Amino acid sequence: MTLSVSDFDDFFSAVNSGDGIPHDGIRPFGWQRRLLEGLVEGGRWPDVIGAPTGAGKTSVIDIHVFSVALMAAGAAPRLPRRLSMVVDRRVLVDDQYQHACGVRDKLGNPSSEILAEVAHLLRSLRITADAVSPLMVTRLRGGMPAPRAWRDDATACQIICATPDMWGSRLLFSGYGSSSSSRPREAGLLAFDSAVVVDEAHLSRQLIRTARRVAELAAISDRPLPVPVLQVVEATATPDEPGAMVMVDVDEADLTESPTLEERLRTPKPVEFLKLPTWPIPAKGTPRTTALASMVECATRLRDTYGPTIGCFVNNVATATDLAALLGKRGVTRLVCGRLRPYDLDRLRDTNPGLLSADGNPAVDFLISTQSLEVGVDLDWAAALIEPASGSAIAQRAGRVNRRGKRADTRIVVVVPEKDVGDKANTAPYQPEDVNAALTWLHGRQADPRGLAPWALREDPPPSQRRHRTLLQRAELGDAWMWARTSDQLFATADLDLWLSDNLAEDLDVGVVVRQGLPTDPVAAIELLRALPPFDYEAIPVRINTCRKRIDDISTPVFLVRDDEVSIYSTGDLRPGDIVVVDASSSIFTVIDGMPVVDQTGSCAAADVLEGPADPETGQFVFRLGHGPFLDPATCNDDETRTAIAHVLTVATTLMSTDGLDSRRARTDLADALDKLTPVLAEPVADKVRAAIQVLRKTRLKDFEVHLLGEPPATLLITDNRRMVHDETARQQWTPRQRVPLQAHAAAVAERARITSDQLGLESLSTLLELAGLHHDDGKADPRFQFSLDPQRTSEQPLAKSDMSTLRQITQARAQSGLPAGWRHEQLSVLACWSALAHLPTGDRDLVARLVGTSHGQGRHGFPHTATELTGDDTYRELARLLYDEGEWDHLIERTHSTFGVWGCAYLEALLRAADGQVSSEGS
C-alpha cells in the first residue's frame, strides 16, 4: 500500500485498540486530524495545543509516529524524528511511556496491514543492522539511572518521555545523571531533528522560554545544518502569547462530529462540599480523628451510591496512609502515593489489572493517592473525594472522574474548611493564597450543574497559581558557550534552575536503591556495586533534601553512584540524577501496600528487588549467591542449604585460582556444582538457580561475566555483559565478538557515518563525517594502548577492540600498559590525522579535527595532557605543543562553534559517536 493522510484513522484505531475493542472501534477526534494535517502541510509542529483534559492529548505520540512514517513514504516534508513528551509529574511520564511502549510493541508485531506498512516505513529510516524495533521509546525522569540507548541511533523515529529537569538539563549540556562525556551528544540530539511537547505548560513557563531560546540560538551559525531545529509545543489552554502563536484546539464542530468527545467534555461533574471544622488536617489529636472519620463516611457513601472505584486525592502521605487504614475496613483499598520505584508500579499493575487505566478494576473500592495521579493518568473513577489544592490541581483531579463520560451520574466532593485558610497555614505542597483562590472559584462551580466538566472550565477556567518568579531568565549565546565546556573542571557549575524551573526553591529528585547483604568493608561494597550497578526498576525516587535528612539516620555505609562512578557517600553531597545505595537494614522507609517510599518519618526497611523482574530484559540478568535476599547463608535457617551454598563457593574459588572463571570448562564445572544445589531449594529460588545454570552452559562466554568477590570469596555473581553495548567507556575497547583490527573498525565507522549523514539529509557534510570516522581512532595505534588491548602481543596488526571477555580484564590490562591516568587516544588521533586533512579548506579541516578529537566526548574545550605527556613521538611534538600547550585547540573549538553553532557541533558529534557505537555494538 502507499501510505497517505487518509490512512490515519485506520492507524489510530489499530494502535489504540485493546482487549474487547475492535480495530475499527476508536477513531481520532477532529483536532487530532487537524494536528496531523498541519504537520504534513507546514512541516512543523504548532506552538500550542489547547485541548482540554480528556480530549486525548497523549495521542500526539500516535500522530508523531504516523507523520514520520508519511515522511519516510515521501508523503510529508522533512519532520523531526524525535518527539519528547515533557511533564512535571512522574506518573504521567510513566503513563505516556507505557502508551508509547504499547505503540512500539504493536508495530514490532503488526496485526494489520496498516501497522505493517507503518512499521516497514519506520524501519526504512534506520541504518543499524540490528534495528529490531521500528520505534525507539525512552523514559527520562529523576530518581532512576539514566538510559543510554536512545543516543545510539539518530536516524530512528523516537519517543522520549521525560520530566522537565531531566529533559532541560540535557538540552543545556548538563544532563542530570549523565556522564560529562555523554552530555554533548544528548544536547545535540535534543536541539536538532526534535520536537518537544510540554504538557501542563503553565507549570513550566521558564522551561518553555529556555527551549524556544535554544531553538533560536541553535540556528545562529555561519553554516546552518539542513535538519529541523528544535520545535517547541506548549500544551495549555492559556498560552503566554496567544495572538502570536499557531494553535491547534478543540472546537464545537469536533464535539458535533464525535459523540464520544462530547460525552468526555460535556458530561456534568457536579461538585459538593464536605465541611471540616479544622483544615488543614492536624498531624494528631481529636481534630484529626474527626476529620478522617468524616472523610471515611463520605467516601463510603460515594462508593455505595456510585459504585467502585472511588478516588481519594489527599495532599500528603501521612493522610493517605491513615485514610487507607480506615477505608480498608470498609472495602478493598489501594494506595498510590509518594515516589514509587518502577518495579512496585509494575507489580501493582500486575496484581490489580486495569486499576491504573481507564478500564478500571471493580474489585477495588477505593484508590487513594497524593499528587501522583492527578495529571494525565487515564483513570475513569466513579466519583472522587479530594482535599483542597490549587485550582489547576483540582481541575486535573476532576479529570480522573467519569473520564469517558459514560456514567449517568457522578460526584466530586471537595473538602472545605469552615473559614478561609490563614496565610501561615501548612497547606503544602500548595500555597495558602492558591488554595483560597481555588475555594472561591469552586463555590461558583458548585452552583453550576455542569460542575467541573472540562468544557465548562473553558468558560470558567481555574485561577492560575501564583508565579514563584516575577521574571523569567533568557539564555544568551555566552551562556551556551559556557555550558558547552563539558570537559572542563569548572570552579563552579551553573545553577540550571535559573533556566529550567518556575520555582527556584524546587527540590529535585535522586534515587535510592536497596541492596541486601552489602559487604561491611566499604572497598568490597564498592567493588560489588561496580560489578553490579543499579538498574532503573529498583530505584525509589526521593527529593534531595528529604534524602539528605534520612541518610543521616543510617548507621551503615551509604554509597553514591554518579556518572558511572561509585564512592562512599559524603554528607550533603547530592546532585539531581544521583543514585544512593543503602543496605536493606536501613529503616528510612514508609511501606505502603508493600511499596516503599522515602519520607520524613518512615521507620521501616525495604526489600531488595534486584532479581525481581520475572522476565529480565537483555542486560538485566543477575544471579547472586552468598549475598542477597535468596541465597545468603547468613539468613538461611537450613544447614543443608548453607552447606550446599558453601560447596558452590568452594568450587568457584578453586576454579578461580586455577583456570579462572572465563573459560568454557570452568563455567561447565561451576554449573555442575550449582546443579547439586537445586534439590535442596524451594521454588521460585530453585528456578533462579536453573536460569544461572543455563547461562553458564549455553551462552557465549563474552555475553555473561562471572565474578567472585570478597576475601575469602563470599559472593558469586553472574551478570549480563550485553549491557556494555550502551557503555561508552567499555565500548572503546570491548566488543561482543572477537578482536577487531583497527583499520577494519575505522573503515566501518567511516562508512556508517556517511550513510547516517546521507539518510538525515546532510549530504553536504557526508564526506567530512566519513573522514572523521576514518581517523577517529588513529591514536589507538600507540604501542601502550595496543598493549592494553593485547597484553600477550598475539596480533600481527593494530587492534581497535580487544578479545578479552570482561571489563575486569580490560581494566587490569590498561593499568599495566604504562599509559598515564586519563590518557585519551583521540587526543593523539588529532595529531596523527592532521597532515591527512591538509588538503581541506580551513573550516572543513577544523570540523573534521574537532570531530576526531571529541569522538568520545572529551576535548571540549581542552584535554588533560600536555604535548610531553601525550606522546614521545617527535613527529607530533611541535603540532602537539601548538594545539594543546599554546591553546590552538581551544581556538579551533571556538571557530567551529561560530561556523556550525554550539548545538550544531554537538549534533554532528552525536552522529559520529552514534556511528562508532553502532559499529562497536555489532562487533565491528
Side-chain angles (χ1 to χ4, degrees):
M1 65 181 291
T2 301
L3 197 69
S4 68
V5 172
S6 62
D7 296 313
F8 178 59
D9 283 19
D10 290 340
F11 172 76
F12 189 90
S13 296
V15 296
N16 287 285
S17 63
D19 294 339
I21 302 177
H23 277 244
D24 60 352
I26 299 176
R27 293 292 174 183
F29 302 135
W31 76 267
Q32 295 164 335
R33 292 193 190 96
R34 289 196 299 278
L35 176 56
L36 174 66
E37 290 164 359
L39 270 170
V40 173
E41 292 170 7
R44 64 173 292 113
W45 285 78
D47 301 304
V48 181
I49 294 175
T53 295
K57 281 182 287 189
T58 303
S59 66
V60 298
I61 291 172
D62 313 337
I63 293 167
H64 168 72
V65 170
F66 190 78
S67 67
V68 174
L70 286 173
M71 179 184 73
R78 182 68 164 85
L79 295 168
R81 298 182 183 221
R82 283 174 292 285
L83 174 69
S84 296
M85 301 289 291
V86 174
V87 65
D88 194 15
R89 289 290 187 276
R90 294 172 313 282
V91 174
L92 179 51
V93 170
D94 291 342
D95 188 63
Q96 292 172 339
Y97 175 74
Q98 292 293 332
H99 178 79
C101 287
V103 175
R104 177 199 63 197
D105 294 345
K106 288 185 177 183
L107 291 172
N109 186 23
S111 58
S112 66
E113 184 181 0
I114 185 66
L115 289 176
E117 177 66 11
V118 170
H120 167 72
L121 288 167
L122 295 183
R123 280 198 180 94
S124 73
L125 295 175
R126 302 191 64 176
I127 45 83
T128 50
D130 59 347
V132 176
S133 174
L135 175 67
M136 293 184 71
V137 180
T138 302
R139 175 172 52 187
L140 291 170
R141 66 168 174 81
M144 61 195 304
R148 302 169 179 177
W150 71 277
R151 307 179 306 222
D152 280 342
D153 193 347
T155 63
C157 178
Q158 293 194 36
I159 301 293
I160 300 170
C161 304
T163 50
D165 55 305
M166 298 301 280
W167 183 85
S169 64
R170 280 162 174 75
L171 183 65
L172 303 187
F173 292 89
S174 306
Y176 293 148
S178 295
S179 65
S180 59
S181 64
S182 65
R183 290 170 183 166
R185 63 191 305 203
E186 293 180 334
L189 291 172
L190 294 181
F192 281 92
D193 215 0
S194 290
V196 59
V197 175
V198 183
D199 201 1
E200 295 302 300
H202 59 281
L203 302 177
S204 302
R205 297 296 184 198
Q206 178 62 69
L207 178 75
I208 292 168
R209 176 72 60 87
T210 296
R212 288 196 167 127
R213 181 61 176 158
V214 166
E216 295 172 358
L217 296 176
I220 297 175
S221 64
D222 297 334
R223 293 171 63 177
L225 301 182
V227 291
V229 179
L230 174 66
Q231 299 172 15
V232 183
V233 185
E234 51 182 303
T236 179
T238 55
D240 276 349
E241 305 172 54
M245 295 185 168
V246 176
M247 185 171 182
V248 174
D249 202 355
V250 179
D251 57 29
E252 288 282 352
D254 293 336
L255 274 63
T256 303
E257 175 192 333
S258 172
T260 299
L261 185 60
E262 185 169 33
E263 282 181 333
R264 287 189 180 190
L265 301 186
R266 280 195 166 134
T267 299
K269 298 183 181 184
V271 177
E272 69 176 62
F273 294 146
L274 173 64
K275 289 189 176 181
L276 296 182
T278 305
W279 192 90
I281 300 172
K284 57 184 178 181
T286 301
R288 180 177 183 82
T289 303
T290 302
L292 289 172
S294 297
M295 294 172 72
V296 167
E297 292 302 324
C298 179
T300 303
R301 173 177 60 83
L302 291 174
R303 190 272 318 272
D304 294 343
T305 305
Y306 302 103
T309 298
I310 304 302
C312 300
F313 272 120
V314 297
N315 291 350
N316 58 66
V317 172
T319 300
T321 53
D322 288 349
L323 185 62
L326 294 170
L327 281 174
K329 301 174 183 177
R330 304 291 184 95
V332 177
T333 304
R334 295 289 181 268
L335 279 84
V336 179
C337 62
R339 292 163 167 76
L340 300 177
R341 56 188 169 190
Y343 170 83
D344 292 314
L345 275 173
D346 289 344
R347 186 166 58 88
L348 182 67
R349 290 187 179 98
D350 291 342
T351 55
N352 298 272
L355 180 63
L356 300 183
S357 73
D359 295 333
N361 185 327
V364 178
D365 295 290
F366 308 103
L367 178 57
I368 302 171
S369 177
T370 52
Q371 302 92 282
S372 302
L373 296 181
E374 72 186 22
V375 176
V377 182
D378 195 15
L379 303 174
D380 191 4
W381 287 335
L385 169 65
I386 63 179
E387 266 199 282
S390 65
S392 61
I394 288 173
Q396 289 295 339
R397 293 175 177 187
R400 308 316 116 203
V401 177
N402 199 15
R403 187 170 180 81
R404 291 173 171 169
K406 299 295 186 183
R407 294 180 174 85
D409 194 14
T410 187
R411 198 71 53 186
I412 297 170
V413 180
V414 182
V415 169
V416 296
E418 291 186 345
K419 57 184 179 180
D420 283 351
V421 178
D423 292 342
K424 304 296 184 182
N426 180 15
T427 58
Y430 308 100
Q431 297 297 316
E433 61 189 277
D434 291 331
V435 171
N436 281 327
L439 291 172
T440 301
W441 169 72
L442 277 170
H443 279 85
R445 300 313 317 143
Q446 185 200 29
D448 185 337
R450 297 174 297 171
L452 295 173
W455 204 247
L457 300 191
R458 292 171 73 89
E459 303 170 11
D460 182 20
S464 300
Q465 287 183 236
R466 177 180 64 87
R467 285 198 176 187
H468 294 275
R469 297 177 65 170
T470 55
L471 293 174
L472 299 181
Q473 190 81 2
R474 171 186 160 106
E476 301 297 347
L477 201 54
D479 298 315
W481 282 48
M482 179 59 69
W483 295 329
R485 303 186 74 94
T486 53
S487 301
D488 295 352
Q489 297 296 318
L490 302 178
F491 177 75
T493 55
D495 182 359
L496 294 185
D497 285 351
L498 286 172
W499 290 278
L500 301 180
S501 177
D502 283 16
N503 182 0
L504 295 179
E506 187 176 12
D507 193 8
L508 299 178
D509 283 352
V510 294
V512 175
V513 167
V514 177
R515 291 285 178 86
Q516 182 168 317
L518 286 174
T520 54
D521 177 8
V523 175
I526 289 173
E527 181 186 9
L528 179 61
L529 291 172
R530 283 175 177 160
L532 193 54
F535 289 102
D536 55 358
Y537 59 82
E538 56 175 338
I540 304 169
V542 57
R543 295 294 195 195
I544 287 178
N545 287 334
T546 300
C547 190
R548 285 193 184 113
K549 178 181 181 297
R550 296 318 314 270
I551 287 175
D552 290 342
D553 298 332
I554 299 175
S555 57
T556 55
V558 175
F559 301 92
L560 179 68
V561 182
R562 174 185 294 160
D563 297 349
D564 297 330
E565 288 297 320
V566 184
S567 61
I568 298 177
Y569 168 74
S570 176
T571 302
D573 181 22
L574 281 179
R575 303 176 195 167
D578 285 348
I579 302 295
V580 174
V581 183
V582 303
D583 190 80
S585 62
S586 304
S587 301
I588 61 171
F589 303 93
T590 294
V591 180
I592 303 168
D593 276 359
M595 300 179 291
V597 297
V598 182
D599 59 17
Q600 298 284 356
T601 59
S603 58
C604 299
D608 176 341
V609 297
L610 178 61
E611 290 111 333
D615 297 306
E617 299 175 4
T618 300
Q620 287 186 346
F621 179 86
V622 174
F623 176 78
R624 288 178 293 179
L625 186 144
H627 283 110
F630 302 111
L631 293 167
D632 186 349
T635 58
C636 251
N637 295 322
D638 177 36
D639 287 342
E640 187 178 10
T641 304
R642 278 199 299 270
T643 301
I645 293 173
H647 170 69
V648 176
L649 290 172
T650 300
V651 170
T653 303
T654 303
L655 292 169
M656 185 71 182
S657 63
T658 53
D659 299 338
L661 296 173
D662 299 320
S663 68
R664 176 60 63 195
R665 176 180 170 279
R667 294 193 178 185
T668 300
D669 290 348
L670 189 55
D672 292 343
L674 283 171
D675 238 343
K676 298 175 182 177
L677 175 60
T678 52
V680 302
L681 300 174
E683 299 294 353
V685 179
D687 198 47
K688 294 181 182 298
V689 177
R690 293 187 195 101
I693 292 170
Q694 183 78 0
V695 164
L696 292 170
R697 285 180 173 161
K698 302 293 185 181
T699 61
R700 295 189 316 160
L701 292 176
K702 271 201 166 190
D703 285 350
F704 292 85
E705 185 165 3
V706 183
H707 310 256
L708 196 58
L709 305 176
E711 290 291 341
T715 302
L716 175 67
L717 185 65
I718 303 175
T719 58
D720 193 336
N721 259 350
R722 291 172 295 177
R723 71 183 188 276
M724 288 204 291
V725 299
H726 300 306
D727 186 319
E728 292 182 78
T729 301
R731 217 161 47 187
Q732 293 176 39
Q733 294 175 261
W734 182 87
T735 172
R737 298 182 184 172
Q738 298 304 311
R739 59 177 58 177
V740 178
L742 181 55
Q743 186 176 0
H745 174 71
V749 173
E751 180 185 22
R752 186 64 56 86
R754 177 183 53 76
I755 294 172
T756 299
S757 52
D758 288 346
Q759 176 74 294
L760 294 169
L762 288 160
E763 292 89 348
S764 60
L765 296 171
S766 290
T767 301
L768 302 183
L769 280 160
E770 184 177 19
L771 265 176
L774 190 63
H775 294 292
H776 79 289
D777 271 353
D778 284 0
K780 284 186 175 181
D782 184 283
R784 296 166 297 175
F785 194 88
Q786 286 301 306
F787 177 89
S788 73
L789 297 176
D790 184 21
Q792 307 304 318
R793 304 202 181 260
T794 56
S795 176
E796 296 180 357
Q797 53 185 320
L799 297 178
K801 309 290 180 183
S802 167
D803 62 355
M804 289 180 279
S805 300
T806 68
L807 189 58
R808 181 178 65 249
Q809 293 174 321
I810 294 170
T811 303
Q812 290 172 348
R814 177 67 179 249
Q816 298 167 2
S817 67
L819 288 169
W823 187 89
R824 302 301 314 177
H825 68 266
E826 61 269 28
Q827 184 181 6
L828 183 56
S829 295
V830 174
L831 305 181
C833 75
W834 191 263
S835 61
L837 308 179
H839 68 286
L840 297 173
T842 301
D844 289 354
R845 182 209 62 193
D846 284 352
L847 177 63
V848 175
R850 178 202 173 108
L851 293 176
V852 169
T854 60
S855 58
H856 295 298
Q858 307 296 326
R860 311 177 89 253
H861 283 53
F863 284 104
H865 290 98
T866 64
T868 303
E869 296 167 325
L870 177 62
T871 178
D873 190 335
D874 290 339
T875 307
Y876 303 134
R877 192 172 299 278
E878 285 304 314
L879 179 59
R881 185 177 295 113
L882 173 66
L883 288 177
Y884 307 128
D885 296 359
E886 298 178 10
E888 177 59 23
W889 178 257
D890 201 299
H891 292 159
L892 183 150
I893 294 291
E894 292 181 352
R895 288 197 301 273
T896 50
H897 277 166
S898 296
T899 304
F900 297 95
V902 173
W903 279 274
C905 287
Y907 178 68
L908 295 175
E909 290 174 27
L911 300 187
L912 177 61
R913 295 175 67 184
D916 186 18
Q918 292 161 15
V919 166
S920 296
S921 63
E922 293 163 10
S924 299

